[in-house]
Amino acid sequence: MDIQNIGIVGAGQMGNGIAHVFSLAGYDVLLNDISQDALNQAIVTISHNLERQVSRGKIEQSEMDAALSRISTTLKLEDLGVSDLVIEAATEREDVKNAIFERLLPHLKPETILTSNTSSISITRLASRTDRPEKFMGFHFMNPVPVMKLVELIRGIATDEPTYHALLKVVESLGKTAASAEDFPAFIVNRILMPMINEAVYTLYEGVGSVKSIDESMKLGANHPMGPLELADFIGLDTCLAIMNVLHDGLADTKYRPCPLLTKYVEAGWLGRKTQRGFYDYRGETPVPTR
Protein backbone atom coordinates (compact mmCIF):
# COMPACT_ATOMS: atom_id res chain seq x y z
CA MET A 1 0.00 0.00 0.00
CA ASP A 2 1.51 3.32 -1.11
CA ILE A 3 0.65 5.87 1.57
CA GLN A 4 1.46 9.53 0.87
CA ASN A 5 -1.67 11.62 1.50
CA ILE A 6 -2.75 11.79 5.14
CA GLY A 7 -6.14 13.10 6.26
CA ILE A 8 -6.47 14.12 9.91
CA VAL A 9 -9.84 14.80 11.55
CA GLY A 10 -9.51 17.17 14.51
CA ALA A 11 -7.01 20.02 14.85
CA GLY A 12 -6.71 19.97 18.64
CA GLN A 13 -3.74 19.01 20.78
CA MET A 14 -3.45 15.51 19.32
CA GLY A 15 -4.45 16.35 15.74
CA ASN A 16 -1.95 19.17 15.30
CA GLY A 17 0.80 17.03 16.84
CA ILE A 18 0.03 14.20 14.41
CA ALA A 19 0.04 16.68 11.49
CA HIS A 20 3.43 17.96 12.70
CA VAL A 21 5.18 14.57 12.69
CA PHE A 22 3.67 13.39 9.39
CA SER A 23 4.54 16.58 7.50
CA LEU A 24 8.07 16.53 8.91
CA ALA A 25 8.43 12.92 7.71
CA GLY A 26 7.56 13.96 4.14
CA TYR A 27 3.83 13.14 3.96
CA ASP A 28 1.23 15.51 2.51
CA VAL A 29 -1.26 16.37 5.25
CA LEU A 30 -4.83 17.66 5.02
CA LEU A 31 -6.05 18.77 8.44
CA ASN A 32 -9.79 19.06 9.06
CA ASP A 33 -11.80 20.64 11.87
CA ILE A 34 -15.28 22.12 12.31
CA SER A 35 -13.71 25.41 13.49
CA GLN A 36 -11.57 27.74 11.35
CA ASP A 37 -10.14 29.21 14.56
CA ALA A 38 -9.00 25.73 15.60
CA LEU A 39 -7.32 25.20 12.22
CA ASN A 40 -5.59 28.58 12.40
CA GLN A 41 -4.40 27.89 15.94
CA ALA A 42 -3.14 24.45 14.89
CA ILE A 43 -0.87 25.99 12.23
CA VAL A 44 0.42 28.51 14.79
CA THR A 45 1.14 25.69 17.27
CA ILE A 46 2.85 23.50 14.66
CA SER A 47 4.99 26.46 13.52
CA HIS A 48 5.97 27.25 17.11
CA ASN A 49 6.89 23.63 17.84
CA LEU A 50 8.91 23.33 14.63
CA GLU A 51 10.73 26.57 15.46
CA ARG A 52 11.63 25.09 18.83
CA GLN A 53 13.10 22.04 17.08
CA VAL A 54 15.14 24.33 14.79
CA SER A 55 16.44 26.36 17.74
CA ARG A 56 17.57 23.16 19.48
CA GLY A 57 19.34 21.88 16.38
CA LYS A 58 16.94 18.95 15.95
CA ILE A 59 15.97 19.98 12.41
CA GLU A 60 17.09 22.51 9.79
CA GLN A 61 15.13 25.64 8.84
CA SER A 62 14.66 24.16 5.36
CA GLU A 63 13.02 21.06 6.90
CA MET A 64 10.63 23.27 8.87
CA ASP A 65 9.69 25.28 5.77
CA ALA A 66 9.13 22.09 3.76
CA ALA A 67 7.01 20.55 6.52
CA LEU A 68 4.75 23.61 6.76
CA SER A 69 4.34 23.65 2.97
CA ARG A 70 2.97 20.09 3.10
CA ILE A 71 0.10 20.97 5.47
CA SER A 72 -3.26 22.14 4.12
CA THR A 73 -6.44 22.76 6.10
CA THR A 74 -10.14 22.36 5.33
CA LEU A 75 -13.49 22.75 7.05
CA LYS A 76 -15.06 20.18 4.70
CA LEU A 77 -14.78 16.60 5.95
CA GLU A 78 -15.46 15.24 2.46
CA ASP A 79 -12.20 16.82 1.21
CA LEU A 80 -10.36 14.04 3.07
CA GLY A 81 -11.72 11.55 0.52
CA VAL A 82 -8.47 11.74 -1.49
CA SER A 83 -6.42 10.49 1.49
CA ASP A 84 -4.55 7.18 1.49
CA LEU A 85 -4.76 7.11 5.29
CA VAL A 86 -7.29 8.88 7.52
CA ILE A 87 -6.55 9.44 11.21
CA GLU A 88 -9.54 10.44 13.34
CA ALA A 89 -8.37 12.52 16.30
CA ALA A 90 -11.65 14.03 17.48
CA THR A 91 -13.00 14.10 21.02
CA GLU A 92 -13.04 10.82 23.01
CA ARG A 93 -16.75 10.11 22.43
CA GLU A 94 -17.88 7.08 20.48
CA ASP A 95 -20.98 8.75 19.03
CA VAL A 96 -18.86 11.61 17.65
CA LYS A 97 -16.36 9.21 16.08
CA ASN A 98 -19.11 7.09 14.50
CA ALA A 99 -20.73 10.20 13.02
CA ILE A 100 -17.41 11.29 11.50
CA PHE A 101 -16.80 7.92 9.85
CA GLU A 102 -20.39 7.77 8.57
CA ARG A 103 -19.96 11.17 6.85
CA LEU A 104 -16.55 10.22 5.45
CA LEU A 105 -17.34 6.82 3.96
CA PRO A 106 -19.13 7.91 0.74
CA HIS A 107 -16.11 10.04 -0.25
CA LEU A 108 -13.26 7.59 0.41
CA LYS A 109 -11.23 5.60 -2.11
CA PRO A 110 -11.76 1.82 -1.80
CA GLU A 111 -8.17 1.33 -0.65
CA THR A 112 -8.13 4.09 1.98
CA ILE A 113 -7.14 2.92 5.47
CA LEU A 114 -9.25 4.30 8.32
CA THR A 115 -7.78 4.73 11.80
CA SER A 116 -8.75 6.23 15.13
CA ASN A 117 -6.45 7.88 17.65
CA THR A 118 -8.82 6.75 20.42
CA SER A 119 -7.14 6.08 23.73
CA SER A 120 -9.70 3.53 24.96
CA ILE A 121 -12.72 2.85 22.71
CA SER A 122 -13.19 -0.57 21.06
CA ILE A 123 -11.60 -0.65 17.61
CA THR A 124 -13.70 -3.67 16.62
CA ARG A 125 -16.89 -1.79 17.46
CA LEU A 126 -15.83 1.40 15.61
CA ALA A 127 -14.74 -0.65 12.59
CA SER A 128 -18.02 -2.56 12.45
CA ARG A 129 -19.88 0.69 11.70
CA THR A 130 -17.83 1.27 8.54
CA ASP A 131 -17.70 -0.38 5.10
CA ARG A 132 -14.06 -1.51 5.60
CA PRO A 133 -13.50 -3.20 8.97
CA GLU A 134 -10.55 -5.08 7.45
CA LYS A 135 -8.86 -1.72 6.69
CA PHE A 136 -9.55 -0.18 10.11
CA MET A 137 -7.12 0.08 13.04
CA GLY A 138 -6.42 1.92 16.24
CA PHE A 139 -3.52 4.35 15.72
CA HIS A 140 -2.89 5.75 19.19
CA PHE A 141 -0.23 8.45 19.50
CA MET A 142 1.07 9.62 22.86
CA ASN A 143 0.92 13.26 23.98
CA PRO A 144 2.86 15.43 23.12
CA VAL A 145 3.08 13.71 19.73
CA PRO A 146 6.30 15.35 18.44
CA VAL A 147 8.17 14.28 21.61
CA MET A 148 6.78 10.87 22.54
CA LYS A 149 8.29 7.90 20.71
CA LEU A 150 5.51 5.33 21.11
CA VAL A 151 2.51 4.59 18.89
CA GLU A 152 0.04 1.90 19.93
CA LEU A 153 -1.25 -0.13 16.98
CA ILE A 154 -4.53 -1.85 17.81
CA ARG A 155 -6.05 -4.45 15.49
CA GLY A 156 -9.79 -4.99 15.52
CA ILE A 157 -11.08 -8.54 15.13
CA ALA A 158 -11.44 -7.99 11.35
CA THR A 159 -8.22 -6.05 10.61
CA ASP A 160 -6.22 -7.76 7.85
CA GLU A 161 -2.45 -8.32 7.75
CA PRO A 162 -1.69 -5.92 4.84
CA THR A 163 -3.28 -3.05 6.79
CA TYR A 164 -1.34 -3.87 9.93
CA HIS A 165 1.98 -4.13 8.10
CA ALA A 166 1.31 -0.92 6.15
CA LEU A 167 0.86 0.98 9.40
CA LEU A 168 3.93 -0.65 10.94
CA LYS A 169 5.93 0.83 8.04
CA VAL A 170 4.28 4.24 8.53
CA VAL A 171 5.21 4.28 12.23
CA GLU A 172 8.80 3.37 11.34
CA SER A 173 8.93 6.17 8.74
CA LEU A 174 7.95 8.65 11.47
CA GLY A 175 10.96 7.59 13.55
CA LYS A 176 8.68 6.16 16.23
CA THR A 177 8.26 2.73 17.81
CA ALA A 178 5.08 0.65 17.45
CA ALA A 179 3.60 -1.35 20.33
CA SER A 180 1.00 -3.84 19.13
CA ALA A 181 -1.98 -4.13 21.44
CA GLU A 182 -5.02 -6.37 21.46
CA ASP A 183 -8.44 -4.71 21.31
CA PHE A 184 -9.33 -4.64 25.00
CA PRO A 185 -10.49 -1.54 26.90
CA ALA A 186 -7.79 1.18 27.10
CA PHE A 187 -5.21 -1.07 25.34
CA ILE A 188 -1.74 -1.11 27.03
CA VAL A 189 -0.61 2.35 28.14
CA ASN A 190 -3.90 3.61 29.57
CA ARG A 191 -4.84 0.21 31.01
CA ILE A 192 -1.82 0.65 33.30
CA LEU A 193 -1.55 4.45 33.58
CA MET A 194 -5.16 5.49 34.28
CA PRO A 195 -5.77 3.21 37.29
CA MET A 196 -2.55 4.65 38.79
CA ILE A 197 -3.86 8.20 38.29
CA ASN A 198 -7.28 7.17 39.63
CA GLU A 199 -5.60 5.66 42.72
CA ALA A 200 -3.69 8.92 43.24
CA VAL A 201 -7.03 10.76 43.20
CA TYR A 202 -8.40 8.27 45.76
CA THR A 203 -5.30 8.91 47.90
CA LEU A 204 -6.16 12.62 47.80
CA TYR A 205 -9.91 11.97 48.30
CA GLU A 206 -9.28 9.85 51.41
CA GLY A 207 -6.91 12.42 52.91
CA VAL A 208 -3.85 10.18 52.82
CA GLY A 209 -1.82 12.99 51.25
CA SER A 210 -2.13 16.44 49.72
CA VAL A 211 -1.75 17.20 46.00
CA LYS A 212 1.82 18.33 46.61
CA SER A 213 2.83 15.38 48.78
CA ILE A 214 1.31 12.81 46.38
CA ASP A 215 3.08 14.25 43.34
CA GLU A 216 6.39 14.75 45.13
CA SER A 217 6.24 11.19 46.49
CA MET A 218 5.94 9.70 43.01
CA LYS A 219 8.52 12.03 41.46
CA LEU A 220 11.15 11.57 44.17
CA GLY A 221 10.17 8.10 45.42
CA ALA A 222 9.44 6.36 42.12
CA ASN A 223 11.49 8.58 39.78
CA HIS A 224 8.46 9.61 37.70
CA PRO A 225 9.10 12.75 35.60
CA MET A 226 5.66 14.12 36.56
CA GLY A 227 3.45 13.41 39.54
CA PRO A 228 0.18 11.53 38.78
CA LEU A 229 -2.07 14.52 39.58
CA GLU A 230 0.11 16.88 37.55
CA LEU A 231 -0.03 14.35 34.71
CA ALA A 232 -3.81 14.07 35.01
CA ASP A 233 -4.09 17.85 34.59
CA PHE A 234 -1.85 17.65 31.53
CA ILE A 235 -3.93 14.87 29.93
CA GLY A 236 -7.27 16.45 30.89
CA LEU A 237 -9.43 15.24 33.77
CA ASP A 238 -12.39 14.68 31.43
CA THR A 239 -10.24 12.35 29.33
CA CYS A 240 -9.04 10.50 32.45
CA LEU A 241 -12.63 10.06 33.63
CA ALA A 242 -13.80 8.89 30.19
CA ILE A 243 -11.08 6.23 30.06
CA MET A 244 -11.82 5.04 33.61
CA ASN A 245 -15.49 4.70 32.64
CA VAL A 246 -14.51 2.66 29.56
CA LEU A 247 -12.40 0.37 31.78
CA HIS A 248 -15.13 0.07 34.41
CA ASP A 249 -17.91 -0.60 31.88
CA GLY A 250 -15.86 -2.83 29.59
CA LEU A 251 -14.19 -5.05 32.20
CA ALA A 252 -16.93 -4.96 34.89
CA ASP A 253 -14.38 -4.89 37.70
CA THR A 254 -14.83 -2.58 40.70
CA LYS A 255 -11.10 -1.86 40.83
CA TYR A 256 -11.68 0.46 37.85
CA ARG A 257 -14.41 2.51 39.58
CA PRO A 258 -13.64 6.21 38.93
CA CYS A 259 -12.90 8.15 42.09
CA PRO A 260 -15.87 10.39 43.06
CA LEU A 261 -13.46 13.32 43.44
CA LEU A 262 -12.35 12.94 39.82
CA THR A 263 -16.01 13.02 38.77
CA LYS A 264 -16.58 16.12 40.93
CA TYR A 265 -13.70 18.03 39.33
CA VAL A 266 -15.04 17.23 35.87
CA GLU A 267 -18.55 18.31 36.90
CA ALA A 268 -17.05 21.62 38.07
CA GLY A 269 -15.39 22.12 34.69
CA TRP A 270 -11.94 21.95 36.34
CA LEU A 271 -10.38 19.81 33.63
CA GLY A 272 -6.71 20.65 34.15
CA ARG A 273 -4.35 22.81 32.12
CA LYS A 274 -6.77 23.39 29.25
CA THR A 275 -9.26 25.13 31.57
CA GLN A 276 -6.58 26.67 33.83
CA ARG A 277 -7.81 24.72 36.87
CA GLY A 278 -7.67 21.08 37.88
CA PHE A 279 -5.68 19.58 40.74
CA TYR A 280 -3.58 22.71 40.27
CA ASP A 281 -4.61 26.30 39.55
CA TYR A 282 -2.64 27.57 36.52
CA ARG A 283 -3.91 31.16 36.45
CA GLY A 284 -0.87 32.61 38.21
CA GLU A 285 2.84 32.55 37.44
CA THR A 286 3.30 29.13 39.04
CA PRO A 287 0.76 26.30 39.49
CA VAL A 288 -0.85 26.19 42.95
CA PRO A 289 -2.51 23.02 44.35
CA THR A 290 -6.31 23.35 44.63
CA ARG A 291 -6.50 20.94 47.59
Side-chain angles (χ1 to χ4, degrees):
M1 295 180 184
D2 184 25
I3 295 173
Q4 180 57 39
N5 297 305
I6 311 299
I8 300 171
V9 183
Q13 191 174 38
M14 296 303 295
N16 72 59
I18 295 168
H20 174 141
V21 298
F22 270 95
S23 64
L24 196 55
Y27 293 91
D28 296 315
V29 174
L30 184 55
L31 184 60
N32 162 262
D33 202 279
I34 57 173
S35 161
Q36 186 61 53
D37 287 345
L39 290 171
N40 295 342
Q41 184 55 51
I43 298 300
V44 170
T45 300
I46 293 167
S47 299
H48 175 72
N49 289 336
L50 286 167
E51 283 170 359
R52 185 182 300 166
Q53 287 180 297
V54 171
S55 68
R56 293 178 178 175
K58 303 280 188 183
I59 62 171
E60 299 294 328
Q61 181 67 45
S62 59
E63 292 178 277
M64 170 180 166
D65 296 339
L68 287 173
S69 73
R70 294 188 193 103
I71 303 174
S72 304
T73 62
T74 181
L75 291 169
K76 297 179 180 177
L77 190 61
E78 55 268 27
D79 288 350
L80 271 58
V82 299
S83 306
D84 304 314
L85 167 64
V86 173
I87 305 165
E88 172 276 312
T91 187
E92 190 69 354
R93 282 177 46 195
E94 190 167 347
D95 58 334
V96 171
K97 296 180 186 298
N98 283 330
I100 288 167
F101 292 128
E102 186 177 343
R103 283 182 55 203
L104 259 178
L105 291 176
H107 308 284
L108 295 177
K109 300 183 294 185
E111 66 271 21
T112 298
I113 295 175
L114 279 179
T115 67
S116 176
N117 184 56
T118 178
S119 53
S120 60
I121 297 169
S122 167
I123 298 303
T124 298
R125 200 162 60 236
L126 289 173
S128 72
R129 300 287 295 273
T130 75
D131 63 355
R132 60 195 70 203
E134 73 286 349
K135 293 186 182 299
F136 194 108
M137 281 193 70
F139 206 27
H140 183 215
F141 289 80
M142 304 296 125
N143 187 32
V145 180
V147 176
M148 303 298 277
K149 294 295 186 184
L150 187 76
V151 181
E152 282 184 316
L153 288 183
I154 305 101
R155 279 181 279 198
I157 197 168
T159 306
D160 63 24
E161 285 299 308
T163 299
Y164 172 69
H165 287 290
L167 290 189
L168 270 180
K169 286 183 179 178
V170 169
V171 173
E172 186 179 325
S173 74
L174 299 176
K176 296 189 182 295
T177 300
S180 297
E182 292 301 315
D183 187 22
F184 288 96
F187 319 130
I188 296 172
V189 173
N190 284 319
R191 172 77 177 262
I192 297 167
L193 176 64
M194 285 303 159
M196 184 197 76
I197 287 175
N198 194 52
E199 195 61 30
V201 182
Y202 266 114
T203 305
L204 178 65
Y205 177 62
E206 293 168 3
V208 179
S210 65
V211 169
K212 184 180 178 184
S213 64
I214 291 166
D215 277 352
E216 283 191 344
S217 294
M218 295 308 292
K219 284 192 284 188
L220 303 179
N223 206 28
H224 289 194
M226 295 174 74
L229 301 176
E230 182 185 6
L231 180 56
D233 276 358
F234 179 76
I235 293 167
L237 303 192
D238 53 338
T239 300
C240 294
L241 179 60
I243 296 170
M244 286 308 302
N245 280 325
V246 166
L247 280 166
H248 191 230
D249 295 344
L251 297 171
D253 193 322
T254 55
K255 73 180 181 180
Y256 298 116
R257 183 172 70 97
C259 179
L261 183 61
L262 178 60
T263 302
K264 192 63 65 180
Y265 268 71
V266 173
E267 287 174 346
W270 291 20
L271 308 181
R273 285 181 179 269
K274 61 187 173 186
T275 59
Q276 296 293 295
R277 279 193 290 188
F279 292 113
Y280 292 86
D281 189 323
Y282 299 92
R283 292 174 298 175
E285 287 188 18
T286 56
V288 178
T290 53
R291 289 181 82 86

